[in-house]
Amino acid sequence: MRSASVGAVRENSGMDDLPPLVERACALARNIGFPLTRDEAGPGLPSACLPGVGRFLGVLAAGCNGGRIGEIGTAAGIGAAWMASAMPADCVLITAEIDEQLAAAASKLLADDHRVEVLTGDAREVLAPRGPFDLLFADGGWRDPAGLASLVDLVRVGGRVVMDDVTPLRALPADSPMLADDVKRQLFFGDPRLLSTEVVLPDLRNSLLVGTRRDG
Ligand SMILES: C[S@@+](CC[C@H](N)C(=O)[O-])C[C@H]1O[C@@H](n2cnc3c(N)ncnc32)[C@H](O)[C@@H]1O
């Protein structure tokens, strides 16, 4: 009974609707074999952003009037498609992908939107000079402390950084090393330039970290 009513509430909310560009990005991911979920990818391998993450990015992107959005790791363009579908007309999105084939496929997908630019190369080199950003989706799977700290430099004061592929603490097994040492949480909750929180997705198995840069 409870799950039936939850299902109806969710259906009526439109939460599960995908913007047309996101549908095309998901089809592209399927065509080129880019995994849509962490389960499909397997441990430690990259996968596309989940619909709950994409919707959250869209919510933030929708408020970026006259703003500049950056993304590290375009892959098949799913996160970029969510943000491009939601952002105001006067906003730009610059996304960088190190894999040439993925970058070419995503460029083609997003080619009709003049506000979106796909850069091919290492985001440390090609994206950094294009900042600072009002919203940064840091989705390149970086785990080195220097790389992680450099993400904050890419965000303007008042801007937000979002990081995906986090497992909620309550969903981790009791012996998980992530309970004691998690470089992503160390950045978001240890860097004094950020005020951060964790957002747990409706599936309760995945979460993301979001921080606002607040130093002067
Ligand atoms: C988790 S996937 C990105 C998913 C994508 N953001 C989405 O919305 O579906 C990570 C991607 O980051 C790319 N990547 C890894 N290191 C990178 C770097 N230094 N610069 C640019 N892209 C990078 C990988 O090739 C991979 O395609």
Side-chain angles (χ1 to χ4, degrees), residues 25-51 76 78 165 203 205-206:
C26 292
L28 171 64
R30 286 253 176 259
N31 280 343
I32 62 179
F34 193 83
L36 286 172
T37 65
R38 286 207 270 176
D39 286 344
E40 278 180 30
L45 293 173
S47 58
C49 84
L50 294 168
I78 294 179
D165 295 324
D203 66 10
R205 292 179 57 224
N206 293 280

Side-chain angles (χ1 to χ4, degrees), residues 46-49 71 73-75 78-79 96-98 102 121-123 137 139-140 142:
S47 58
C49 84
E71 181 185 34
T74 320
I78 294 179
E97 173 53 55
I98 202 165
L102 286 174
D122 187 334
F137 182 30
D139 201 23
W142 296 358

Side-chain angles (χ1 to χ4, degrees), residues 92-110:
V92 295
L93 165 60
I94 304 162
T95 175
E97 173 53 55
I98 202 165
D99 180 302
E100 286 183 17
Q101 286 182 329
L102 286 174
S107 291
K108 210 167 159 190
L109 172 84
L110 299 160

